[in-house]
Amino acid sequence: MTRYRNFGLFVILAAIWGSAFMAIKAGLEFFPPVLFAALRYDIAGVIMLVYALYVTDAPLPRGRAEWTEIAIGSTLLIAAYHALLFIGETDPFVTSAAAAVIVSLSPVLTTGFARVFLPSERLTALGIVGLLLGLAGVAVLSELDPSNLLAGGTVAKLLIFGAAASFALGSVLTRRIDSEMPIETMEAWSMIGGALLMHVVSVALNESVTDVVLNTESLLALGYLAIAASAIGFLIYFDLLDRLGPIEINLVSYVAPVFAALSGWLFLSEVPSVSTVSGFALILLGFILLKRGAIRRELRHRFGDGVTATD
């Protein structure tokens, strides 16, 4: 019964986070991009802070290490990631599915950054091949044309790649600090700090609340991102992280693009291109090569000793 529950929650999380790319695309018709991201985390941050007050005994960061972790989370995991993602999705050549596929590179980049910043880890020859395959996937998906690097969608897709890299780097740096702060507290304050940073960036970009159009569609997009994708999504993520561990939960990144493609097709009439599918295949193959040892161990744990656990 527990296995079915975990599977159901996994699919729900992938559906919520995948369809969030569609909600971003839809909402960008009514909000300036960075202001849109900031408003999302104004709401989500307050919700997560209330949740942290309810479930933890340490809802406030304490000491230099914890505040450093909050600063990294606010800057890289929330502000840089979402500002770049939302700006990238303003490009009409970037579909919801394409954005989700580029973001699915994040676990691959996380492993690459870990080899640099966590001295206990090293990258093997096959690991290097996996990392290069992931980067090649982004190049294929972005349809890079050396003779015209500013072609439609290319810059926007590279901005989204920058978003994935920011999230991956932030994940590694927060793990390196290892302040033992409750993850709910870390997420809540990172969301609040990230929202404040994005408001500053929004002002610097001359975005204005007068450019916001409030109607049923815009409020639904904002509410879905703030409540469903952020608050509810992270609550499911925390639950599954405890039950499944980091390897299996990482696979959400590779299921989410399916729901991004479906929701983009249903609501925005987006059709995934051949380059989107090809890029996704290369990124997934890169992830398998990078995580082959952990995947073998997980298969052995799930299905018995018939699967070897050597790297």
Side-chain angles (χ1 to χ4, degrees):
M1 192 67 180
T2 299
R3 178 172 294 182
Y4 290 120
R5 176 186 180 277
N6 291 344
F7 177 76
L9 287 175
F10 182 93
V11 173
I12 290 171
L13 181 60
I16 290 174
W17 280 0
S19 56
F21 291 93
M22 176 277 299
I24 292 170
K25 194 77 174 176
L28 285 169
E29 291 189 24
F30 309 103
F31 295 92
V34 181
L35 179 59
F36 187 20
L39 292 172
R40 169 186 179 177
Y41 280 99
D42 287 334
I43 300 169
V46 171
I47 294 173
M48 285 303 300
L49 182 58
V50 171
Y51 180 71
L53 288 167
Y54 177 71
V55 300
T56 75
D57 295 325
L60 296 175
R62 301 171 184 172
R64 178 179 297 178
E66 292 190 0
W67 280 109
T68 300
E69 190 171 352
I70 293 297
I72 293 170
S74 298
T75 304
L76 294 175
L77 297 179
I78 302 297
Y81 170 69
H82 289 91
L84 291 172
L85 173 62
F86 278 53
I87 293 172
E89 282 212 57
T90 59
D91 193 302
F93 290 96
V94 178
T95 64
S96 306
V101 168
I102 297 171
V103 169
S104 74
L105 182 66
S106 185
V108 176
L109 293 173
T110 298
T111 302
F113 283 128
R115 308 305 182 183
V116 176
F117 293 101
L118 300 177
S120 61
E121 302 189 37
R122 63 185 180 83
L123 202 60
T124 63
L126 272 178
I128 294 173
V129 172
L131 183 60
L132 292 175
L133 278 173
L135 296 174
V138 173
V140 169
L141 193 151
S142 299
E143 300 179 82
L144 291 175
D145 180 1
S147 65
N148 186 12
L149 290 177
L150 298 181
T154 299
V155 173
K157 290 171 184 175
L158 292 178
L159 286 175
I160 297 172
F161 171 74
S166 296
F167 192 89
L169 179 59
S171 299
V172 170
L173 293 179
T174 53
R175 193 196 318 170
R176 184 178 184 180
I177 293 173
D178 193 22
S179 68
E180 299 184 358
M181 177 172 44
I183 193 168
E184 296 87 355
T185 302
M186 187 269 182
E187 288 285 352
W189 287 101
S190 292
M191 287 178 179
I192 292 171
L196 291 174
L197 287 172
M198 286 189 287
H199 277 296
V200 172
V201 174
S202 177
V203 171
L205 293 175
N206 293 318
E207 294 182 347
S208 172
V209 293
T210 59
D211 297 324
V212 174
V213 177
L214 293 181
N215 55 30
T216 301
E217 192 173 344
S218 65
L219 291 175
L220 282 174
L222 179 60
Y224 185 81
L225 290 171
I227 299 172
S230 298
I232 296 175
F234 275 108
L235 293 182
I236 296 174
Y237 174 84
F238 295 147
D239 181 62
L240 289 178
L241 183 63
D242 289 336
R243 294 171 179 272
L244 303 180
I247 302 302
E248 282 195 63
I249 201 63
N250 259 345
L251 296 178
V252 168
S253 297
Y254 298 96
V255 181
V258 176
F259 290 98
L262 287 172
S263 59
W265 173 65
L266 285 171
F267 294 100
L268 303 176
S269 300
E270 297 176 337
V271 179
S273 66
V274 173
S275 63
T276 298
V277 177
S278 302
F280 174 72
L282 286 172
I283 291 171
L284 179 59
L285 180 58
F287 173 80
I288 292 171
L289 287 176
L290 279 166
K291 291 294 187 181
R292 64 196 182 281
I295 291 170
R296 289 194 192 105
R297 289 189 292 273
E298 186 63 29
L299 290 173
R300 185 184 185 189
H301 172 70
R302 295 288 175 182
F303 302 108
D305 294 333
V307 179
T308 59
T310 57
D311 195 337

